[in-house]
Amino acid sequence: MRLGLNIGFVFGDEHLDHLKLVKEAESLGFSVTWAAEAYGSDAATLLTWIAAQTTTIDVGAAVFQIPARTPAMTAMTAATLDRLSGGRFRLGLGVSGPQVSEGWHGVRFDKPLARTREYVAIVNAALRRETVEFHGEHFELPLPGGPGKALKLSSRPLRDHVPVYLAAVGPKNLELAGEIADGWLGILNDPAYLGEQLKHIEAGRTRAKRADGTVRQLGLDGFDVVASVPLMTGDDLAAAADPIRGYAALYIGGMGSREKNFYNALAVRMGYADEAKEIQDLYLAKQHRDAMAAVPQGFIDGISLLGGKERLAEKLTAYAEAGTTTVAVTPFAPTVEQRLADIRVLAEALELSGVGSQ
């Protein structure tokens, strides 16, 4: 199992702290850093800036939003980033949610699985420098009855396949990740529940095919299971959990509408049905502090890395035994100095656990 670092978004001059963390993570042997986007900073620009100032750590999108870019534009960006980084780019994709897709990008949030399948097929074909002609339900290239013609990526990519990751939460989306992607970007990952999620990914792997039509290697060999995990060190576990409460309450209670919140549904499947309803009721009533207080300590502990080095090592072992291949941490300490100290402790904990790989 390897370590990754989530740097999220850019607010103000936060990118300078991100760079300090990424450089330290690189020196500690972390395999990848992931940047996100919603309706603020974009991931491509931040990753380009990071890649220009690092040499060995991979840079990954977690995620590029599918409604924000045409598949051709994503292929162009992926090819360019991969070339400029020397083959260190990982392409994470996700459909976002109805509020951002329709409210920010003006793209209807309909049939997300079918849209993702077609999108990934076009991206991969473009990166293979095929002449792209595609006739699907959601994408038509070239458009019929006009001057457009089928085109081929004019610049030659460094690699003809950039690793594709899907951000997936629901069972059907997990199956799709297993079928068409090289890895999965998970969230709210508790090793005690991970096995249930990997069953869906493995089901998708039984249908996975290469571009030439042959079946890929089955099982999870070669498939990167990335667990996104909050990190807070300290012996007082309740105090360590407190900074993570806002994050958990936002996802369970406020990420989406009452009728469609994928993360709330995940918490229900994980066994927190009553708690998930209470958190959502409070959050949507704008009682955010009460929603945060309603998040169970056990839930936060389950999805996080909390405690000292020895406890972190035990939890890393649990993630590895559950099938995780990359633990991508989000340090929640309030200052960059504390976050730097925490990822150093984490690297020591991985070494102590004996489940790390190079």
Side-chain angles (χ1 to χ4, degrees):
M1 191 173 70
R2 305 200 69 180
L3 297 177
L5 174 71
N6 294 320
I7 55 174
F9 312 102
V10 173
F11 300 100
D13 291 332
E14 196 174 27
H15 60 289
L16 301 174
D17 288 346
H18 289 339
L19 184 60
K20 291 178 183 177
L21 283 166
V22 173
K23 286 188 170 183
E24 182 65 18
E26 183 176 52
S27 72
L28 293 168
F30 282 50
S31 64
V32 61
T33 185
W34 300 96
E37 61 185 22
Y39 46 95
S41 58
D42 75 290
T45 305
L46 177 57
L47 291 173
T48 302
W49 185 73
I50 292 290
Q53 300 176 84
T54 54
T55 56
T56 59
I57 194 168
D58 281 8
V59 290
V63 294
F64 281 176
Q65 297 173 95
I66 285 174
R69 301 171 180 83
T70 67
M73 185 70 247
T74 290
M76 292 164 60
T77 304
T80 306
L81 251 170
D82 198 51
R83 168 68 66 176
L84 295 179
S85 67
R88 291 186 285 137
F89 179 60
R90 305 187 193 184
L91 174 58
L93 295 170
V95 291
S96 189
Q99 292 175 321
V100 172
S101 182
E102 299 193 9
W104 186 245
H105 298 301
V107 176
R108 288 293 178 199
F109 191 83
D110 62 333
K111 299 182 179 179
L113 298 183
R115 183 181 295 274
T116 300
R117 181 186 296 277
E118 292 185 11
Y119 195 98
V120 171
I122 296 169
V123 170
N124 284 336
L127 289 172
R128 292 192 297 268
R129 295 194 76 233
E130 297 175 4
T131 299
V132 179
E133 183 173 346
F134 191 89
H135 306 288
E137 179 183 0
H138 301 279
F139 298 97
E140 181 86 10
L141 295 172
L143 288 176
K149 64 177 183 179
L151 297 173
K152 178 170 66 175
L153 188 67
S154 61
S155 59
R156 186 171 295 277
L158 187 65
R159 296 181 289 176
D160 63 4
H161 179 73
V162 172
V164 172
Y165 291 70
L166 290 189
V169 178
K172 293 297 183 183
N173 209 1
L174 289 169
E175 287 187 25
L176 184 66
E179 181 180 353
I180 69 173
D182 304 289
W184 167 49
L185 297 169
I187 192 169
L188 305 182
N189 293 124
D190 185 334
Y193 185 72
L194 194 62
E196 290 298 314
Q197 295 168 300
L198 295 186
K199 287 179 184 178
H200 297 293
I201 291 177
E202 288 188 89
R205 295 287 285 173
T206 65
R207 300 190 297 271
K209 292 185 178 180
R210 299 186 181 92
D212 61 6
T214 60
V215 177
R216 290 180 183 170
Q217 186 176 13
L218 301 182
L220 292 175
D221 288 346
F223 188 89
D224 194 9
V225 175
V226 183
S228 181
V229 182
L231 169 68
M232 273 293 294
T233 64
D235 294 330
D236 186 335
L237 299 184
D242 278 344
I244 301 167
R245 289 188 173 278
Y247 158 85
L250 169 64
Y251 275 87
I252 297 172
M255 196 66 78
S257 65
R258 184 180 298 278
E259 295 74 25
K260 188 168 285 188
N261 180 325
F262 307 119
Y263 310 100
N264 186 281
L266 173 59
V268 170
R269 291 194 297 273
M270 292 169 68
Y272 293 92
D274 292 341
E275 296 88 344
K277 182 181 185 306
E278 181 185 7
I279 293 163
Q280 186 178 63
D281 288 345
L282 291 166
Y283 203 96
L284 295 181
K286 300 189 183 303
Q287 299 177 37
H288 296 159
R289 291 190 179 183
D290 291 337
M292 291 164 58
V295 180
Q297 175 75 19
F299 180 85
I300 297 174
D301 196 16
I303 66 163
S304 307
L305 284 160
L306 307 177
K309 180 170 65 175
E310 290 74 17
R311 195 172 193 271
L312 297 185
E314 292 176 2
K315 189 65 173 287
L316 288 170
T317 300
Y319 275 110
E321 291 177 347
T324 307
T325 52
T326 303
V327 168
V329 297
T330 304
F332 269 76
T335 69
V336 66
E337 289 78 15
Q338 289 173 287
R339 296 195 291 273
L340 288 165
D342 282 357
I343 65 172
R344 293 181 191 121
V345 172
L346 180 67
E348 294 174 0
L350 182 66
E351 184 175 359
L352 177 64
S353 73
V355 298
S357 64
Q358 296 297 321

